[in-house]
Structures are given as structure tokens and as C-alpha cells.
Amino acid sequence: MNISTRYYHPSWWGRAEPIYVTTCPRDSTSKKGYISNLLFVNITAHSENGVFLSGCEGGMLSNLRFVNVNFTYRRWTNFDGGLIDYRPGCQGLVKHGAAGMIMEHIQGLEVENVSMRWASGGAKEEWDNPLEFRPSTVNNVSFLNFHSGVYAQ
């Protein structure tokens, strides 16, 4: 599977995430959900933003696997970055630095043969880090043959 995502005006839902999975309820009357046993395999993605994996308190993501995945992160539009989009529901738009994969409220994550390439120079903001997670909400994580590096544009 080949994926290409880009930024649009912040009034559009989403912030160029090549993969976005959440159990965040749409509104305060919605029941919290659970998502489990997802496999992302043989994916190549070119994107202006990273992967977003967010369960919520009382609605975990569980048993997620990424196998043979290549991410290339590079800015090419002039729309502002630095936001996470929890819409609809939860927190709305939240200021946040760029990360290759943002994770919270996950029980079981396997990353195998995954590569993240980061463009250097020319972007309004530089990439902060390949992986960002809240350690107290992400458990049972396994990495095998994970690579992250910068490349010149």
C-alpha cells in the first residue's frame, strides 16, 4: 500500500497523518470504544506529519502491529504544522511538535522492520523525535529492526 498525505487548512479534520487510529469518543454522550488486533503491513508512506495512535482512558488500543513499513516525512505545503487533531470529540486541535509516531493509551504494540526517514532543512519546524509516547499509558512495546534517520532534500 502506498500512502501520501499533506497538510490542509486547520478547518479540515486531520493533520496529514498517514495512519490515524483513535478510540476517542465523538462527544460526552458517546460510549468509549476499544480497537484491537490491527496489522499494518507492507506500507510505504510519504507525509507531512506522523502516525497518530490514541486510545483514551477507559478505551484502549491493543495489539497493534507494524510490519515492513517505510515512512518518509517531509514538508512541502505552506500550511502550519505543529498541531494534533483529536476532532471530533476529545480535545480538538492541540499544539504539538512533529513526531514520527505519537502513541497514548495502548496495550501491546509491535514494530518490526520499520524505517522512518526525516527531511532536513527547509521546513518551518524541524522534526522533534521519531517516537513519542506517554510511558504510563503505553505498555508491552516491542521493536525489532527499527530505523530512523535524517536525509538531505
Side-chain angles (χ1 to χ4, degrees):
M1 177 184 294
N2 292 312
I3 299 170
S4 180
T5 60
R6 58 168 288 222
Y7 281 121
Y8 287 90
H9 188 274
S11 63
W12 289 48
W13 285 0
R15 299 300 301 150
E17 304 90 349
I19 297 172
Y20 182 101
V21 181
T22 184
T23 61
C24 180
R26 287 177 99 49
D27 59 52
S28 61
T29 63
S30 298
K31 292 182 180 179
K32 293 178 180 150
Y34 296 88
I35 297 175
S36 62
N37 302 318
L38 292 180
L39 173 62
F40 299 94
V41 64
N42 298 333
I43 297 172
T44 298
H46 294 83
S47 180
E48 288 192 288
N49 203 359
V51 171
F52 183 73
L53 305 172
S54 176
C56 64
E57 196 169 322
M60 298 287 282
L61 297 176
S62 63
N63 302 322
L64 306 179
R65 292 186 65 211
F66 288 79
V67 180
N68 301 331
V69 181
N70 293 298
F71 296 106
T72 300
Y73 299 120
R74 176 179 67 86
R75 289 297 309 268
W76 63 86
T77 67
N78 291 322
F79 293 102
D80 289 336
L83 296 170
I84 294 177
D85 195 350
Y86 284 92
R87 298 175 295 182
C90 281
Q91 306 172 51
L93 287 171
V94 175
K95 287 210 175 282
H96 196 280
M101 188 178 289
I102 297 171
M103 302 164 277
E104 56 191 19
H105 300 285
I106 299 173
Q107 180 64 38
L109 173 68
E110 292 182 34
V111 175
E112 182 178 344
N113 297 327
V114 172
S115 174
M116 290 183 182
R117 295 173 7 117
W118 309 85
S120 66
K124 287 183 179 179
E125 70 273 343
E126 293 297 320
W127 297 100
D128 289 336
N129 53 46
L131 304 169
E132 182 173 307
F133 58 96
R134 296 183 184 163
S136 61
T137 68
V138 179
N139 298 293
N140 297 327
V141 179
S142 170
F143 291 97
L144 178 63
N145 198 27
F146 172 80
H147 299 278
S148 176
V150 175
Y151 73 96
Q153 290 192 56

